[in-house]
Amino acid sequence: KVRAAMGNTTMRKKSQKDKESPANNKDTPAGFMKSIPRQFQDPYLYLSAAQSTICLRYKSLAPFAQHLPGWVPQREVAKALGYSEHGIRNAMKHLGGQPYVWATEFENVHAFWHFDEPILKIDGIKYKDSEAFYHAQKPKPFDAKVWDTQRLNVMRTAVRAKIQASPDMKDLLMSTYPHPLLSLKPDSFWGFDPTYGGENMLAKLLEEARE
């Protein structure tokens, strides 16, 4: 697993992270953090420098743009994009009150935020990204009942291959330990639906690989 494989390097990174604190420069937006501390109160989203141009489109996110990469309060992102905090409250309740973290780098599809998915090579076959691998494994002819028994292991393979293919994403994932991961989106299996809840399985596979 990822943590075991990184050995002493992981321990050094964790020690450095423990010493870091939320950014406190007078020009830094409230709540912005360069790294995740041991304790924090609200959910955070990681935004890479590639997200600066998107942030500049929104008045309340624009102040964060020049400071990226870093962690931005999810409530600020939700407010800027026109979403209520209802889903965030439900997600934290689901986690027993624990704040969580997330990043678009952990998703397989990027309809809004920027991320270049790595090419994967699995069992000698190249796939343009993890989503392409996932869909290529569907039974032919398609059988929903059969696929329901296979999709979790298929995604587990995709997630682990992606981590190995993307050192930056691997480092980002490690930096989130030991905090909960949660993907707030209208998908009650791979994510956590803001209204109806969900199994949050993509995040659970990432947490599994992170150990």
Side-chain angles (χ1 to χ4, degrees), residues 26-206:
K26 65 179 181 179
D27 296 325
T28 303
F32 179 76
M33 300 191 295
K34 292 301 288 185
S35 63
I36 291 291
R38 280 288 182 177
Q39 296 183 342
F40 54 99
Q41 299 299 316
D42 286 312
Y44 270 80
L45 293 179
Y46 175 80
L47 298 183
S48 70
Q51 317 309 336
S52 297
T53 54
I54 296 176
C55 288
L56 289 172
R57 301 175 197 165
Y58 299 89
K59 184 177 180 180
S60 59
L61 293 182
F64 293 96
Q66 64 177 315
H67 300 283
L68 301 179
W71 295 88
V72 177
Q74 190 178 32
R75 295 179 193 277
E76 288 293 329
V77 177
K79 181 173 65 175
L81 301 184
Y83 296 106
S84 74
E85 295 185 8
H86 175 72
I88 295 173
R89 290 194 295 268
N90 283 346
M92 287 190 65
K93 183 178 179 181
H94 174 74
L95 294 172
Q98 294 183 82
Y100 57 88
V101 296
W102 192 247
T104 194
E105 285 82 351
F106 302 155
E107 298 283 1
N108 296 329
V109 177
H110 312 277
F112 184 78
W113 301 108
H114 298 309
F115 181 66
D116 294 326
E117 286 282 322
I119 294 173
L120 304 184
K121 187 173 184 179
I122 302 174
D123 296 331
I125 301 175
K126 283 189 175 181
Y127 301 90
K128 70 172 186 175
D129 52 36
S130 56
E131 189 74 359
F133 167 78
Y134 177 80
H135 288 294
Q137 309 314 305
K138 291 181 176 179
K140 299 180 180 62
F142 183 71
D143 185 315
K145 290 184 178 180
V146 171
W147 182 235
D148 283 348
T149 67
Q150 298 174 341
R151 59 179 176 168
L152 188 60
N153 280 331
V154 169
M155 186 63 82
R156 177 179 285 112
T157 298
V159 164
R160 297 194 176 206
K162 177 178 173 178
I163 291 170
Q164 294 305 314
S166 177
D168 289 343
M169 186 263 199
K170 182 177 182 178
D171 289 345
L172 177 60
L173 177 62
M174 289 304 305
S175 76
T176 66
Y177 183 85
H179 304 297
L181 302 177
L182 187 140
S183 176
L184 191 61
K185 60 184 178 182
D187 183 329
S188 59
F189 183 72
W190 295 116
F192 186 87
D193 185 276
T195 301
Y196 304 106
E199 298 183 57
N200 196 34
M201 290 308 302
L202 178 58
K204 289 180 180 178
L205 289 177
L206 287 158

Side-chain angles (χ1 to χ4, degrees), residues 4-16:
M6 294 185 74
N8 291 333
T9 301
T10 299
M11 296 305 294
R12 288 195 296 272
K13 286 185 177 180
K14 282 184 65 180
S15 296
Q16 292 169 359

